[in-house]
Amino acid sequence: MSETWVVVPTCLPIVLRRCHRCASGRFRANGKFRVNANHKLLDVWLLALCTACGDTTRIAVLERVKVRSVQAELLNLMHDNDPGLAAELLQDPVVRRRNHIALDWDNAWRLDAGAPDRLDGSDQPDLPDRSDRPVRSLPPEGEAIEVAVRFEARIPVRPVRLIAEGFGLSRAEVERLHAGGNLVSTVRLSGKLSGDFTLTLKR
């Protein structure tokens, strides 16, 4: 028996950066871009609002680049404030390092346990809510279930949390199953990861 679980972004993550107005450290990106063309050079920023005072911060995406070097399709997405592009750029480690920001994904994702693979390949954060899915029940005695866990975005999550949520168990129960050899995973359960993995639960 096998199935797929999917870690799905539900909104853009919180941007962690010090606010110069109120000293808060949390900004909410709304997917809006600011594009500034100065002669043949282009600057593009992704905008985010302080969750405390509402002040705007600019996350540099492109700086002083030649207009002709930017693909027309990419430029159109920026002009259209495309939320999928905003999500992709926030996850780009180069953009994060350049702007000295980090991301907080708490309350910005959900686990679809037992969900089929998506057919459209979309990874946009403004996905419509699917109907609530019941947690997966444990396999009967003597049987096993293999689960492929996929990430639609690079969201750092503890595997033990995903397994507990997917099967409706406590984290302590997951750890006991793992210690007893009934739960085998291709990754360590400690720490966080943001990449696909598989697990097998035997009864």
Side-chain angles (χ1 to χ4, degrees):
M1 183 184 303
S2 63
E3 63 183 48
T4 300
W5 297 354
V6 188
V7 179
V8 182
T10 56
C11 62
L12 293 175
I14 290 291
V15 176
L16 301 180
R17 168 187 272 183
R18 176 71 63 177
C19 178
H20 296 296
R21 174 176 292 181
C22 71
S24 171
R26 300 172 66 82
F27 286 80
R28 171 70 72 183
N30 55 12
K32 292 186 178 180
F33 292 85
R34 179 172 296 169
V35 181
N36 181 40
N38 185 5
H39 299 292
K40 296 181 180 181
L41 298 178
L42 193 69
D43 292 295
V44 179
W45 301 277
L46 177 62
L47 305 182
L49 302 178
C50 176
T51 59
C53 70
D55 194 34
T56 300
T57 191
R58 300 187 303 183
I59 301 169
V61 176
L62 298 176
E63 295 180 293
R64 311 299 289 174
V65 300
K66 294 182 179 180
V67 175
R68 290 185 178 181
S69 69
V70 182
Q71 295 181 357
E73 181 181 358
L74 177 61
L75 193 56
N76 288 336
L77 290 175
M78 293 173 176
H79 280 299
D80 293 339
N81 297 316
D82 183 77
L85 177 60
E88 181 180 338
L89 290 170
L90 284 176
Q91 295 174 67
D92 187 333
V94 175
V95 172
R96 294 205 306 271
R97 284 196 300 269
R98 181 192 303 146
N99 290 276
H100 307 289
I101 62 174
L103 303 179
D104 181 357
W105 281 96
D106 283 353
N107 303 313
W109 63 273
R110 69 170 183 268
L111 176 66
D112 281 356
D117 290 344
R118 302 193 61 200
L119 299 178
D120 59 5
S122 171
D123 59 357
Q124 293 187 3
D126 57 338
L127 297 170
D129 287 337
R130 303 174 189 173
S131 58
D132 292 337
R133 301 177 185 272
V135 295
R136 181 65 170 85
S137 59
L138 296 177
E141 292 288 343
E143 295 188 12
I145 180 172
E146 182 175 304
V147 178
V149 182
R150 295 196 306 107
F151 287 74
E152 290 196 348
R154 292 185 290 273
I155 304 172
V157 188
R158 297 184 186 277
V160 67
R161 176 180 178 182
L162 295 177
I163 297 169
E165 184 174 330
F167 286 114
L169 302 171
S170 68
R171 298 187 192 183
E173 289 173 316
V174 171
E175 291 170 352
R176 282 197 296 269
L177 288 168
H178 183 256
N182 296 90
L183 175 62
V184 179
S185 173
T186 56
V187 297
R188 297 183 61 181
L189 299 189
S190 59
K192 294 184 177 182
L193 56 75
S194 57
D196 300 352
F197 68 97
T198 60
L199 64 99
T200 301
L201 178 62
K202 297 176 290 186
R203 292 291 301 279

